[in-house]
Amino acid sequence: GQEPACVARCPVEALGFEPSAPENRHHDIPGFPASTLNPSIRFQPLRRSVGPELCVVPKPALLASFLDQVLAVPERKITLRGEWSLVIFTSILAVLAGWFLAARMGGPAIPPLAFLGLGLLAMGLSAWHLGRRERAWRALLHLRSSWLSREIALVSSFLGLGGLYLVFFPHKHGLAWLAALVGFLGLLAVDRIYRVALTTGKPSLHSGQALLNGCYLLSILARLPFLFAGALALKTFLYVHRKWHFRRQGQPLRPWLSLTRLGLGFVLPAILWTWSPLLAALSAVLGDLVDRCEFYDELEVASPQGELAKAFKRGAALSVGTVE
């Protein structure tokens, strides 16, 4: 029931906050396309005291300057260079969750020291990018509404339960199954955090998502042929579909990186799966790491400036096509 901080702290009281009625949504204003961004932008009419000189058509130089600002690509909020620690963190988490459950289903056992060491490394990397690490605990205060809070709670619980089982209670099989379930729920929470920033088109899935990577590794280490075939087919389809979508949008395809991902992540595991699950798993992890890097490099948080720039560029492209 309170105002957002941006409204409450605005020094000139330029911002307001109120429920948005359907009649207040203006989607027919040129240059302001319909968007899924919330809250919506509300356009207020000019005050009567404003002089008529503001309604004069701007000079070409002013118009060109305005268009340069509008068409400028906004600075990205999520980049691979800035989020490299989270790439490693989420990749390690997928490996631990898949390996832990595979060990319960007859796959190779996971050494306790390896589990605890990788878990501590992952937790350290997850806090590496934080500006004020001493306040990280406050993220747990929003479990009811925040997938980030749920991710922190689930990942911490998975590492704690898994460590207890491997080190102190190796015969408590119920504890092991609970830890495995919590681990895969943690992978789901990781994916849910980034759902609003995916730019893969429809379907809004990514071949490098953490939950898919965990299931893929599980199918290889536990030698589950139906799960392996399904995960391999789904991940291959999503990767090829994403590249096709980027080609239609005029975005770079990075062919050598794509071939590396296809070879390491899909072709080699399919060849090695029948006679060397460990080599197949290693190849799949390396391929998924490449895809995870692409995942973070492709994330884009929607913003009003970005939406306007896209709308103007689409309009300019249509105009050029009409003239040609």
Side-chain angles (χ1 to χ4, degrees):
Q2 299 180 359
E3 291 182 334
C6 58
V7 175
R9 300 294 180 88
C10 183
V12 295
E13 298 183 356
L15 301 177
F17 180 75
E18 62 181 8
S20 178
E23 59 269 14
N24 292 334
R25 297 181 181 179
H26 301 274
H27 294 320
D28 56 347
I29 298 179
F32 292 89
S35 173
T36 58
L37 291 175
N38 286 309
S40 301
I41 299 175
R42 180 175 179 179
F43 298 92
Q44 297 281 62
L46 294 175
R47 295 189 297 270
R48 294 182 180 180
S49 60
V50 176
E53 64 275 5
L54 292 182
C55 299
V56 178
V57 177
K59 296 180 180 180
L62 294 177
L63 181 59
S65 176
F66 169 75
L67 290 177
D68 288 340
Q69 295 180 16
V70 172
L71 294 176
V73 179
E75 183 179 354
R76 295 179 58 188
K77 297 182 178 180
I78 301 178
T79 62
L80 178 59
R81 177 176 295 182
E83 306 294 335
W84 66 268
S85 60
L86 294 182
V87 173
I88 303 177
F89 161 68
T90 53
S91 299
I92 291 177
L93 182 60
V95 169
L96 290 179
W99 192 1
F100 188 89
L101 183 54
R104 296 300 310 147
M105 302 179 68
I110 178 170
L113 288 180
F115 181 85
L116 294 176
L118 289 174
L120 289 176
L121 175 62
M123 295 299 291
L125 289 171
S126 68
W128 183 267
H129 72 293
L130 298 178
R132 306 186 68 172
R133 299 179 182 89
E134 69 277 5
R135 294 191 175 186
W137 64 270
R138 299 182 57 159
L140 293 172
L141 302 178
H142 306 282
L143 290 173
R144 296 181 59 184
S145 59
S146 171
W147 280 103
L148 178 60
S149 297
R150 296 165 188 164
E151 177 217 299
I152 296 173
L154 289 168
V155 171
S156 303
S157 300
F158 164 61
L159 296 177
L161 293 172
L164 285 175
Y165 166 74
L166 292 173
V167 177
F168 298 105
F169 306 104
H171 301 293
K172 299 289 185 180
H173 302 301
L175 180 62
W177 289 111
L178 177 61
L181 174 61
V182 173
F184 274 83
L185 289 177
L187 298 182
L188 175 63
V190 168
D191 292 334
R192 294 291 292 175
I193 292 175
Y194 299 104
R195 69 190 186 280
V196 297
L198 283 177
T199 58
T200 58
K202 294 181 179 180
S204 58
L205 295 173
H206 196 284
S207 56
Q209 286 182 315
L211 184 59
L212 271 178
N213 292 347
C215 292
Y216 190 43
L217 184 62
L218 167 65
S219 68
I220 297 174
L221 292 177
R223 301 185 67 86
L224 304 174
F226 292 105
L227 180 61
F228 174 74
L232 177 64
L234 179 59
K235 287 169 70 69
T236 304
F237 167 77
L238 291 175
Y239 190 81
V240 174
H241 175 270
R242 189 170 87 249
K243 294 298 180 177
W244 173 78
H245 172 73
F246 287 164
R247 183 168 180 257
R248 291 187 58 188
Q249 297 294 325
Q251 301 182 34
L253 297 180
R254 293 173 288 199
W256 288 110
L257 192 64
S258 301
L259 289 175
T260 301
R261 198 278 180 266
L262 290 171
L264 284 176
F266 304 139
V267 177
L268 279 180
I271 297 175
L272 298 173
W273 184 80
T274 55
W275 63 276
S276 181
L278 289 179
L279 288 179
L282 177 60
S283 180
V285 169
L286 293 176
D288 286 343
L289 180 60
V290 174
D291 207 0
R292 197 67 186 169
C293 291
E294 288 191 274
F295 174 85
Y296 276 89
D297 193 51
E298 295 162 2
L299 292 176
E300 181 181 350
V301 178
S303 65
Q305 182 183 1
E307 294 294 318
L308 284 176
K310 290 179 182 179
F312 273 102
K313 288 180 179 178
R314 284 195 298 266
L318 290 175
S319 300
V320 172
T322 303
V323 171
E324 291 178 351

